Amino acid sequence: MRIFEGLFVGISAIRSNKLRSLLTMLGIIIGVASVLAMISIGDGAKEIVLQDAQKLGGVNQFTMFRSSYKRVGSRWMPNRSNEHFEYEDVLAIEAECPSVKVAVPRIPEWRGVLIQTADGSEARSGYNGVNASFSDAMDWGVQEGRFISDEDMEYKAKVCVLGTEVAFNLFGNKSPLNKEIKIGRGGDRYDRWGRRDQTRIAERFTVIGVMNPRGRSLRFGWNLDDMIFLPLTTAQERFTGNDYITMLSVHAKTVEDVPKAIEEVKAVLRKRHNNQDDFFTLRDMREGMAQLEKISRVIKIALGSIAGFSLLVGGIGIMNMMLVAVTERTREIGLRKALGAKSFDILIQFLIESISMCLIGGAIGVGLGYLAGEGMALLAVKIVKLVPDWPSVISLEWVIISVSFSALIGISFGLYPALKASALSPIEALRTE
């Protein structure tokens, strides 16, 4: 009963001095609201990066690409190796690497390719030569039609699947299915008089599908909807003229399996390529995520420290008000003690009043923090125009931490005034004017 009685008396005291109590709680309110607002924006940024990683296939993947230059330490050096990825490497990786879920071969031409339709519409885009597993591995389905099949790969079919932006640029709101387009061979070439070499635009493809909208990659800047997908074997025969593969995207079964999968894949490639595993560059998606985690941790520590100072100031205000309350209610304390209240009862009464004030301030701060986070997220979209939506993420963990810290402030800064009140002599208290 002591606790409930003390809670009732404490809340009654706060209600009887509303303005003073609100001003006293202001430091707690601002501290909790500021930390939740900033954390929500920081976690929202983390969510954006995670979504961007998912667009590119997920954090459980790593990419290997063969280029004419490779990074050695801090320098880029010519790649003088005669080794190249081949489709047999893909089959060997999937068969011999238990930590690998799927390996996706790619021949990318990212931009600058001229695409034409029969009615004369043109668009600049890029293409990727891929196999049938690309759609499932990337968790990227088709909006209309179908994706590339194993039969398309086997027969080197001249078919293609369009990104939504390419489809709109070429055909508007009309369905592009079964329509024919012409795709340039890796960009334009010009003669010495500046005229475009039309022989570079000679390959005809039939549209068999349109991908779901995917958006732009923040990390690399590619518009994934501005892309065309072809059977890998067709791209090799019609565009590159060899059996080489430029990129391999390897998806491990889990994020934890990635390091093991990397070693397994390197072992397979060494066995198949004259004991060489340095003719390609490897990019692990987890590296960017690890850097993000470090930055996020530093931001949270910095924001937590700032909010901690604000809560400290709020705690000092709580102590000041409670000391004033003890002075103002000295006769009340004496009367309660004369009627049988023990020092512990007085201690609990003032301590609960302090804690109640901090908890109420913390609750108001949580509400304001949520509203401030939503407002800052809308402002962030206006400032950072690369993303259409900036999520405001307020986790239950941080709400609990903020309210608990408020309660701790109430205990810490309310304890001294409560002890002072409980130590008053009833006779001396009753004599106080």
Side-chain angles (χ1 to χ4, degrees), residues 22 327 329 338 407 430:
L22 179 62
T327 303
R329 293 155 61 187
L430 288 172

PDB file of all heavy atoms in Angstrom, residues 22 327 329 338 407 430:
ATOM      1  N   LEU A  22       5.877  20.984 -15.334  1.00  0.00           N
ATOM      2  CA  LEU A  22       6.175  20.879 -16.769  1.00  0.00           C
ATOM      3  C   LEU A  22       7.533  21.483 -17.093  1.00  0.00           C
ATOM      4  O   LEU A  22       8.316  20.890 -17.855  1.00  0.00           O
ATOM      5  CB  LEU A  22       5.075  21.581 -17.566  1.00  0.00           C
ATOM      6  CG  LEU A  22       5.249  21.575 -19.095  1.00  0.00           C
ATOM      7  CD1 LEU A  22       5.247  20.149 -19.635  1.00  0.00           C
ATOM      8  CD2 LEU A  22       4.148  22.398 -19.765  1.00  0.00           C
ATOM      9  N   THR A 327      11.012  21.798   1.285  1.00  0.00           N
ATOM     10  CA  THR A 327      10.940  23.022   2.100  1.00  0.00           C
ATOM     11  C   THR A 327       9.492  23.496   2.247  1.00  0.00           C
ATOM     12  O   THR A 327       9.053  23.882   3.333  1.00  0.00           O
ATOM     13  CB  THR A 327      11.789  24.133   1.459  1.00  0.00           C
ATOM     14  OG1 THR A 327      13.139  23.662   1.328  1.00  0.00           O
ATOM     15  CG2 THR A 327      11.779  25.394   2.303  1.00  0.00           C
ATOM     16  N   ARG A 329       6.764  21.766   2.050  1.00  0.00           N
ATOM     17  CA  ARG A 329       5.864  20.803   2.695  1.00  0.00           C
ATOM     18  C   ARG A 329       6.452  20.250   3.994  1.00  0.00           C
ATOM     19  O   ARG A 329       6.159  19.134   4.399  1.00  0.00           O
ATOM     20  CB  ARG A 329       5.577  19.664   1.714  1.00  0.00           C
ATOM     21  CG  ARG A 329       4.766  20.144   0.519  1.00  0.00           C
ATOM     22  CD  ARG A 329       4.945  19.315  -0.722  1.00  0.00           C
ATOM     23  NE  ARG A 329       4.530  17.942  -0.535  1.00  0.00           N
ATOM     24  CZ  ARG A 329       4.725  16.980  -1.451  1.00  0.00           C
ATOM     25  NH1 ARG A 329       5.346  17.285  -2.589  1.00  0.00           N
ATOM     26  NH2 ARG A 329       4.321  15.752  -1.215  1.00  0.00           N
ATOM     27  N   ALA A 338       3.868  12.736  12.828  1.00  0.00           N
ATOM     28  CA  ALA A 338       3.169  12.771  14.119  1.00  0.00           C
ATOM     29  C   ALA A 338       2.003  11.784  14.149  1.00  0.00           C
ATOM     30  O   ALA A 338       1.640  11.265  15.210  1.00  0.00           O
ATOM     31  CB  ALA A 338       2.677  14.188  14.387  1.00  0.00           C
ATOM     32  N   ALA A 407      13.635   6.950 -15.522  1.00  0.00           N
ATOM     33  CA  ALA A 407      13.353   6.475 -14.167  1.00  0.00           C
ATOM     34  C   ALA A 407      14.612   6.486 -13.308  1.00  0.00           C
ATOM     35  O   ALA A 407      14.574   6.849 -12.119  1.00  0.00           O
ATOM     36  CB  ALA A 407      12.765   5.068 -14.226  1.00  0.00           C
ATOM     37  N   LEU A 430       6.940  20.536  12.583  1.00  0.00           N
ATOM     38  CA  LEU A 430       5.671  21.170  12.953  1.00  0.00           C
ATOM     39  C   LEU A 430       5.878  22.606  13.422  1.00  0.00           C
ATOM     40  O   LEU A 430       4.949  23.420  13.373  1.00  0.00           O
ATOM     41  CB  LEU A 430       4.972  20.351  14.038  1.00  0.00           C
ATOM     42  CG  LEU A 430       4.371  19.021  13.571  1.00  0.00           C
ATOM     43  CD1 LEU A 430       3.885  18.191  14.739  1.00  0.00           C
ATOM     44  CD2 LEU A 430       3.223  19.282  12.592  1.00  0.00           C
TER      45      LEU A 430
END
